[in-house]
Amino acid sequence: MRHGFLEQREKYKALVMRHYGVTEQMYDAINHLIAPLVVPISARKGEVLQRSGEVAQSFHWIYSGVARAGFVTEGGTEVTLRFWCEGETVASHEDLLRARDGLPARQFVVAETALHGFRMDWADVGRMCELHEVVRAYYLKVSEASILRQGRSIYNNSATSAQARLEAFRDEYPGLEARVSQKVIASFLGITPQYMSQLLRQDALQKAA
């Protein structure tokens, strides 16, 4: 089918169904509806997928690579909010909702590694929701999963120690630590890169003891 989209989606069927709590019938129906609308994309490491300050117009589904969302504070400090890996939909949901009112995105989304996937226009989702009940039901499931993940993130980030936040990061994103830089992980944990290095040294010593 179109650009190999259905073939790639088939590889991640179990993961997406589990993540969103959808049935196989719903998953297959959604894929066939959106296949004609997606556009294949490839991005180099560091390439911007969504720029803060501009109205968000699209989102992505990736089958290879890692993406990252965050924002820059008034003082120029970069804060990482979340990551996406293979089989996940890359989207700043808040910014897509803001786009309905023509408001600019607050977050940036960037390719943290080289990645491959498919892009879809947010406006097409709105039109499809009006036409298809299954799209509305699927979007509700996606929204629920997004709310739950945001709740976990808020809870994990409230941990009093950086070590506890690091462990929460490892639980939320298994295997990701080896794929992204310490600097980026530090920005996600809310600590300096120097303290991140110290934290990892202490962690290694504890595991070796």
Side-chain angles (χ1 to χ4, degrees):
M1 293 297 290
R2 184 176 175 85
H3 308 304
F5 173 75
L6 294 181
E7 290 83 353
Q8 291 295 342
R9 289 283 288 183
E10 187 68 23
K11 294 178 183 178
Y12 294 96
K13 175 182 284 189
L15 184 151
V16 178
M17 287 173 54
R18 182 174 64 252
H19 184 65
Y20 294 142
V22 300
T23 65
E24 183 174 7
Q25 182 180 12
M26 179 182 287
Y27 182 76
D28 290 342
I30 286 294
N31 290 340
H32 282 86
L33 282 170
I34 67 176
L37 303 175
V38 300
V39 177
I41 63 105
S42 294
R44 300 180 301 276
K45 178 180 179 179
E47 189 170 337
V48 176
L49 303 179
Q50 174 181 296
R51 202 173 298 277
S52 60
E54 299 179 2
V55 177
Q57 298 180 339
S58 60
F59 60 96
H60 304 77
W61 180 79
I62 58 175
Y63 61 85
S64 173
V66 179
R68 175 174 67 97
F71 67 94
V72 179
T73 67
E74 291 183 1
T77 300
E78 188 173 283
V79 177
T80 294
L81 295 175
R82 66 158 301 173
F83 300 90
W84 295 273
C85 299
E86 288 84 358
E88 295 187 305
T89 299
V90 178
S92 171
H93 199 184
E94 174 194 349
D95 288 326
L96 290 172
L97 293 175
R98 285 169 57 82
R100 292 177 175 176
D101 297 320
L103 298 175
R106 289 172 171 159
Q107 300 176 26
F108 65 79
V109 179
V110 65
E112 192 57 31
T113 69
L115 60 79
H116 303 279
F118 298 88
R119 184 182 72 246
M120 184 171 177
D121 289 342
W122 176 240
D124 287 337
V125 174
R127 286 189 286 269
M128 292 184 70
C129 282
E130 294 176 358
L131 294 172
H132 303 282
E133 173 62 32
V134 67
V135 177
R136 292 194 293 273
Y138 188 84
Y139 177 68
L140 177 60
K141 290 290 189 180
V142 171
S143 299
E144 289 173 348
S146 176
I147 292 169
L148 288 171
R149 191 162 196 170
Q150 185 178 27
R152 290 197 304 271
S153 178
I154 292 172
Y155 177 80
N156 292 337
N157 289 340
S158 68
T160 55
S161 73
Q163 181 64 47
R165 296 197 298 276
L166 176 60
E167 292 305 320
F169 163 80
R170 288 168 172 168
D171 289 341
E172 184 72 20
Y173 302 104
L176 186 60
E177 188 174 355
R179 304 179 66 185
V180 300
S181 69
Q182 290 184 19
K183 180 180 179 181
V184 166
I185 298 175
S187 74
F188 179 78
L189 300 180
I191 59 179
T192 64
Q194 293 76 16
Y195 188 62
M196 180 69 192
S197 295
Q198 179 183 338
L199 193 65
L200 291 177
R201 285 196 297 269
Q202 293 173 349
D203 187 56
L205 288 172
Q206 290 175 357
K207 290 180 178 179

